[in-house]
Amino acid sequence: MTQVSINERVLDISSGSPKLLGVRCKSCDNHMFPTQKGCPKCAGTDIEPIELGTRGTLWAWTIQGFPPKAPPYLGEVDPAKFEPYGVGYIEIPGQAKIEARLTEADPTKLSAGMDMELVAQPLCTDDDGNEIVTFAFAPVATE
Amino acid sequence: MSDVAIVGIGMHPFGRHEGVSGMEQGAHAVREACKDAGVEWQDVEFAFGGSSAAGAPDTMVAQLGLTGLQFINVQNGCATGGSALFAAANTIMSGAYDLGIAIGFDKHERGAFRIQAGNGGGRDWYGGSGMALTTQFFGMKINRYMQEYGITQNSLARVASKAFHNGALNEMAWRRQPFSEEEVLQSQMLSYPLTQYMFCSPGEGGVALILARADQAHKYTQKPIFLKSAVVRSRRFGSFEVLAPSLALEHRAGPTVDASKAAFEMAGIGPDDIDLAQLQDTESGAEIMHMAENGFCEHGEQESMLEKGETKIGGRFPVNTDGGCLANGEPVGASGLRQVYENVLQLRGDAGARQVPNDPKVAYTHVYGAPGISGVTILSR
């Protein structure tokens, strides 16, 4: 099955490993995700594209316990089949805190400050039979 | 801002009203407010009206009467009502008009807000990935706050239980069945650590407030309530806000802190002078965090305040005396004006079974919402 990015302006999976596409303000070094044309920190407009780091630490988190509405949600919405998923902010050193799904949905296995890494996560299949993937962060194995 | 008074208030009950449009609920509130002030719709010189999902407010003149008045629509997220009030107050302060009305109403579909982004091309990746939910933000913010300041889940349950207890005393409220703290904790986990009964729901309702020049207030009412401050603030760089795909590394307080400080400065008083408050309680954690963000306690102090029942109606500092968003639901356009309506009743001494004792004199309202906006008012007798 062919995998396609949920949105190529945000998530690049062409190399086989996921990359998040952001921008950086050349005037004040503020990092932004997704891309935008102006800087909310210094109001500058001299912006360059960057790939965001793929490792970071968990800053805040919750567990999505009920199916979101579709549209816009592309994942499973049938209450009988829906499985809760984690959502959190991952602090990428020197860049920004990125909001993402988490591969872990057990509250006893999540805590602020733990190491996380970027992974691609399948969401659904489109009309052409391609698998649509989004991005998520997974706990880094400690051993 | 001592020269603006609220001289009439009207409300359509909050909740679910099959077959009644949001705008009809708004028009009902307007008629009630006119009756309360002893004026006719024809006497109203200008209006600011707000709704997020129930149509353009100015079209309600077709049901109220085509008098030719100046009618301006306001849409400002969760601060829509507060923004309408701010604009109406300033219209009177400027001297442009002497008597006007601020109106808010709404009617939302069931369940969590459906938020779809226009993102300039390609699929809606944010909503598509399951992150466009306001509920997640509140779960994340209180989860972090509880770790940082030692707030327990029992406190979350106490806030919700108090809200439903107060709602049971309020004939305008949607949820009028009291729930125990245990029942709140046992309800379905929606967004950890928040359960179903700790969250408010989008709903329906309408509120209208008639404002007049303070020096003319006694023409309309024996009990004018004076608007000492009305402030709206948006977020600054580094704050942690709802529906943000990314946040800055640096962290700073949100718009509530800015709006609160500005409102106290404008009124020339401080938190100790406030007798009761209506604070944004999108979920019970929000009420807890907003107690501190608005300056009414230190971070972490809420745990003992709730344990001692200090924010109950008979307590030292009553909060959300009408049941708040938890018991009333959140029709976005009307929600901020509901808080002001409740404070007017309390300051008039007309709040009935939920009247705050000892003759309160100064009352405070606060709203917070997407995309990082806050509105505060201070009222006095």
Side-chain angles (χ1 to χ4, degrees):
Chain A
M1 193 185 289
T2 310
Q3 289 197 327
V4 295
S5 166
I6 187 166
N7 189 319
E8 287 169 359
R9 294 165 58 247
V10 174
L11 171 67
D12 179 4
I13 57 167
S14 59
S15 72
S17 55
K19 292 185 180 65
L20 294 176
L21 307 177
V23 288
R24 172 184 166 273
C25 174
K26 288 197 208 171
S27 310
C28 74
D29 195 42
N30 180 39
H31 288 61
M32 294 154 264
F33 173 80
T35 60
Q36 60 179 64
K37 293 192 167 97
C39 174
K41 184 176 185 183
C42 74
T45 52
D46 195 4
I47 303 286
E48 65 177 1
I50 48 148
E51 278 176 15
L52 290 163
T54 57
R55 297 274 296 244
T57 53
L58 189 59
W59 185 76
W61 59 272
T62 184
I63 310 293
Q64 176 63 32
F66 61 94
K69 283 178 177 168
Y73 187 50
L74 295 173
E76 182 60 62
V77 293
D78 179 351
K81 295 186 202 157
F82 174 80
E83 288 188 18
Y85 57 90
V87 174
Y89 282 92
I90 291 80
E91 187 165 349
I92 311 291
Q95 297 188 332
K97 301 178 197 115
I98 305 299
E99 188 179 12
R101 290 171 69 110
L102 309 176
T103 59
E104 182 58 68
D106 178 350
T108 64
K109 293 180 180 162
L110 291 168
S111 59
M114 67 191 285
D115 290 326
M116 308 290 283
E117 64 187 345
L118 183 67
V119 296
Q121 191 177 52
L123 259 185
C124 64
T125 307
D126 72 11
D127 294 341
D128 302 325
N130 300 313
E131 190 173 57
I132 298 176
V133 299
T134 186
F135 57 95
F137 277 82
V140 176
T142 45
E143 286 155 281
Chain B
M1 238 167 85
S2 58
D3 50 355
V4 177
I6 298 173
V7 299
I9 58 174
M11 186 168 185
H12 185 283
F14 279 32
R16 289 276 170 217
H17 308 288
E18 289 301 327
V20 186
S21 74
M23 193 169 295
E24 283 167 340
Q25 296 176 47
H28 173 87
V30 170
R31 293 191 188 100
E32 291 295 309
C34 287
K35 215 183 295 172
D36 186 51
V39 302
E40 301 293 330
W41 172 243
Q42 288 82 349
D43 300 325
V44 178
E45 296 173 323
F46 72 92
F48 285 89
S51 157
S52 100
D58 64 315
T59 61
M60 72 160 56
V61 294
Q63 348 186 353
L64 289 170
L66 298 169
T67 64
L69 85 168
Q70 171 186 299
F71 198 125
I72 296 175
N73 295 338
V74 178
Q75 193 172 42
N76 209 4
C78 296
T80 292
S83 301
L85 183 60
F86 172 84
N90 279 281
T91 300
I92 290 175
M93 285 169 64
S94 75
Y97 290 112
D98 296 340
L99 188 75
I101 190 163
I103 308 161
F105 59 89
D106 245 316
K107 187 179 181 91
H108 303 287
E109 67 173 321
R110 284 168 202 277
F113 288 113
R114 186 193 301 269
I115 294 156
Q116 292 174 270
N119 61 356
R123 285 187 203 89
D124 175 2
W125 63 273
Y126 191 64
S129 299
M131 294 192 284
L133 288 108
T134 56
T135 42
Q136 292 170 354
F137 164 76
F138 292 106
M140 285 190 274
K141 189 177 174 191
I142 190 61
N143 196 13
R144 209 182 131 73
Y145 193 89
M146 287 165 76
Q147 299 294 318
E148 203 167 350
Y149 296 109
I151 303 293
T152 64
Q153 248 210 337
N154 287 334
S155 284
L156 300 179
R158 285 192 183 104
V159 168
S161 181
K162 168 177 72 70
F164 297 121
H165 175 83
N166 293 354
L169 304 174
N170 177 5
E171 65 283 358
M172 292 290 179
W174 180 8
R175 315 272 188 208
R176 304 201 56 201
Q177 183 191 343
F179 286 108
S180 69
E181 289 161 25
E182 199 52 38
E183 286 170 306
V184 171
L185 288 168
Q186 296 302 323
S187 63
Q188 188 197 346
M189 186 64 79
L190 293 188
S191 195
Y192 182 91
L194 298 166
T195 66
Q196 183 182 355
Y197 295 162
M198 294 177 188
F199 271 108
C200 86
S201 305
E204 305 173 19
V207 179
L209 307 171
I210 297 200
L211 280 70
R213 276 174 49 166
D215 59 3
Q216 298 178 0
H218 285 280
K219 279 175 24 186
Y220 307 105
T221 176
Q222 300 297 307
K223 298 175 185 171
I225 302 300
F226 301 100
L227 188 62
K228 310 302 280 186
S229 329
V231 172
V232 177
R233 287 287 184 274
S234 60
R235 65 201 185 281
R236 291 201 272 171
F237 187 73
S239 67
F240 180 19
E241 305 298 348
V242 58
L243 301 173
S246 70
L247 299 170
L249 287 183
E250 62 195 79
H251 187 49
R252 70 178 297 154
T256 290
V257 171
D258 288 338
S260 177
K261 277 187 186 148
F264 281 124
E265 263 174 43
M266 194 180 286
I269 59 173
D272 290 345
D273 300 309
I274 303 293
D275 296 318
L276 70 140
Q278 317 298 331
L279 306 178
Q280 179 79 30
D281 57 334
T282 320
E283 39 75 36
S284 38
E287 178 173 314
I288 292 173
M289 295 183 285
H290 290 148
M291 285 164 64
E293 290 183 15
N294 284 288
F296 296 116
C297 64
E298 297 298 323
H299 291 294
E301 205 183 333
Q302 303 97 322
E303 184 75 15
S304 69
M305 288 175 75
L306 286 160
E307 206 175 333
K308 287 186 263 179
E310 292 184 358
T311 56
K312 291 181 177 176
I313 284 172
R316 178 175 68 82
F317 181 65
V319 174
N320 291 331
T321 49
D322 67 350
C325 291
L326 289 174
N328 287 279
E330 193 177 21
V332 164
S335 202
L337 297 184
R338 168 188 54 77
Q339 298 177 324
V340 176
Y341 178 98
E342 170 68 4
N343 278 354
V344 171
L345 283 183
Q346 292 285 351
L347 296 177
R348 285 177 175 176
D350 290 344
R354 62 182 193 284
Q355 178 65 47
V356 168
N358 304 320
D359 210 15
K361 292 177 180 59
V362 188
Y364 185 99
T365 73
H366 158 260
V367 291
Y368 168 82
I373 187 167
S374 181
V376 168
T377 73
I378 297 174
L379 304 184
S380 78
R381 285 202 316 218

